[in-house]
């Protein structure tokens, strides 16, 4: 991978609304970035620039600005718990400015998302569905002002030994830190729904009735063993989460 390929769009964007995503390793191909870009275009009317932080740019739509993932400088052999996503909080992220809406590559957008750019709050994240009494949010969708949390990364790097024992993953640390700054708030609960928890039918109905689209949902979140291709084709779940093909996911995820 050449420096030239990673800097294919190194000019600083003038857009005030940035849609951020991140792709590292080989789990997700360029088609995930391209589908996400297409879904944002179809389901928003605001002016935005899509930015992908990645270690490989091959196949990514030229309309998406690509930059290298800022290094976290963690000790060699440190467990991978999604820590890379914290690099979106670099105090000066390639000169980008404005609102940043971060979206995981495997989300599926099913309705207009304009409100995600304007909903009041300093930092917004999905409230945990399974344990809503916890502070921890789901970081599949979060929004912040670029550069507004300038010390979150320096604190992480300086206290990594303690943090990796205290927090299971990046979203636990992220939610805790932002809450300490009195800036944490959550998206309206109907906007972001879990495919696993809110769309799949329970057994035995799951063998006969396809997954449902939650009313008023805007973004469907995939986590655990099921991903969008499983939702489109059926399968991928455990025996107690039988997955029939979903036509509405197929229509949306393109």
């Amino acid at each position: 991978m050449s420096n030239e390929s990673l800097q294919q769009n190194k000019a600083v964007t003038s857009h005030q609304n940035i849609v951020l995503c991140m792709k590292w390793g080989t789990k997700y191909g360029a088609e995930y970035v391209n589908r996400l870009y297409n879904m944002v275009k179809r389901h928003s009317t605001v002016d935005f620039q899509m930015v992908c932080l990645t270690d490989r740019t091959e196949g990514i739509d030229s309309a998406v600005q690509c930059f290298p993932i800022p290094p976290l400088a963690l000790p060699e052999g440190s467990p991978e718990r999604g820590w890379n996503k914290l690099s979106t909080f670099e105090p000066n992220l390639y000169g980008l400015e404005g609102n940043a809406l971060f979206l995981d590559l495997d989300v599926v957008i099913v309705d207009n998302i304009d409100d995600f750019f304007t909903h009041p709050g300093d930092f917004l994240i999905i409230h945990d569905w399974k344990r809503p009494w916890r502070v921890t949010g789901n970081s599949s969708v979060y929004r912040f002002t670029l550069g507004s949390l300038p010390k979150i990364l320096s604190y992480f790097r300086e206290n990594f030994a303690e943090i990796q024992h205290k927090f299971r993953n990046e979203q636990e640390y992220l939610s805790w830190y932002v809450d300490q700054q009195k800036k944490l708030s959550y998206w309206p609960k109907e906007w972001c729904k879990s495919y696993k928890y809110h769309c799949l039918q329970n057994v035995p109905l799951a063998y006969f009735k396809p997954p449902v689209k939650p009313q008023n949902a805007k973004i469907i979140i995939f986590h655990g063993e099921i991903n969008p291709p499983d939702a489109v084709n059926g399968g991928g779940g455990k025996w107690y989460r039988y997955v029939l093909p979903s036509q509405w996911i197929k229509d949306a995820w393109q």
Side-chain angles (χ1 to χ4, degrees):
M1 177 185 56
S2 68
N3 289 333
E4 181 182 356
S5 64
L6 274 176
Q7 297 292 344
Q8 65 173 344
N9 283 308
K10 65 180 181 178
V12 174
T13 179
S14 61
H15 291 75
Q16 293 301 300
N17 293 308
I18 310 294
V19 176
L20 272 177
C21 67
M22 184 174 287
K23 184 177 84 69
W24 71 88
T26 58
K27 181 177 181 180
Y28 299 112
E31 71 276 8
Y32 277 79
V33 179
N34 298 338
R35 287 173 188 261
L36 184 61
Y37 175 60
N38 291 337
M39 288 187 290
V40 173
K41 281 199 304 181
R42 286 199 306 272
H43 292 292
S44 65
T45 64
V46 301
D47 185 32
F48 75 94
Q49 174 64 55
M50 182 93 164
V51 171
C52 181
L53 303 178
T54 183
D55 57 3
R56 55 183 68 207
T57 63
E58 297 84 357
I60 295 178
D61 193 309
S62 61
V64 179
Q65 281 191 306
C66 291
F67 298 100
I69 300 170
L72 290 179
L74 300 183
E76 188 173 351
S78 299
E80 202 296 294
R81 300 175 182 171
W83 301 126
N84 275 337
K85 288 168 73 172
L86 295 174
S87 65
T88 59
F89 297 97
E90 279 286 355
N92 182 4
L93 187 65
Y94 297 108
L96 299 169
E97 298 178 346
N99 262 342
L101 176 65
F102 182 91
L103 301 173
D104 269 353
L105 287 181
D106 58 354
V107 303
V108 175
I109 302 174
V110 295
D111 203 350
N112 182 275
I113 61 169
D114 287 356
D115 290 342
F116 282 87
F117 296 99
T118 59
H119 194 74
D122 292 319
F123 179 93
L124 289 133
I125 195 169
I126 303 170
H127 205 174
D128 185 75
W129 305 288
K130 201 169 184 180
R131 302 175 183 87
W133 58 88
R134 299 194 309 168
V135 167
T136 300
N138 180 300
S139 63
S140 295
V141 182
Y142 60 87
R143 194 199 77 209
F144 65 105
T145 300
L146 287 156
S148 63
L149 294 164
K151 296 183 179 180
I152 187 171
L153 266 184
S154 59
Y155 184 90
F156 174 76
R157 290 172 174 134
E158 293 166 6
N159 299 278
F160 179 70
E162 175 188 350
I163 287 169
Q164 70 171 331
H165 290 295
K166 185 176 180 181
F167 301 105
R168 291 185 308 152
N169 50 43
E170 125 282 336
Q171 63 190 16
E172 282 195 1
Y173 168 68
L174 174 60
S175 301
W176 170 82
Y177 183 92
V178 178
D179 186 52
Q180 296 296 303
Q181 306 301 309
K182 309 299 183 185
K183 293 184 176 182
L184 183 69
S185 53
Y186 304 103
W187 300 115
K189 63 180 181 179
E190 66 271 14
W191 287 8
C192 301
K193 291 295 187 179
S194 161
Y195 194 73
K196 180 161 63 174
Y197 297 143
H198 303 128
C199 302
L200 296 181
Q201 306 282 354
N202 293 323
V203 172
L205 287 179
Y207 289 93
F208 311 102
K209 296 184 69 175
V212 298
K213 178 182 174 182
Q215 188 175 8
N216 300 321
K218 297 176 181 290
I219 301 179
I220 304 299
I221 311 303
F222 285 83
H223 52 101
E225 69 279 0
I226 303 169
N227 56 38
D230 296 320
V232 170
N233 300 316
K238 297 177 181 177
W239 68 268
Y240 53 86
R241 285 199 180 97
Y242 189 78
V243 182
L244 285 175
S246 173
Q247 184 62 46
W248 60 273
I249 289 290
K250 182 178 181 179
D251 293 340
W253 193 60
Q254 53 183 305

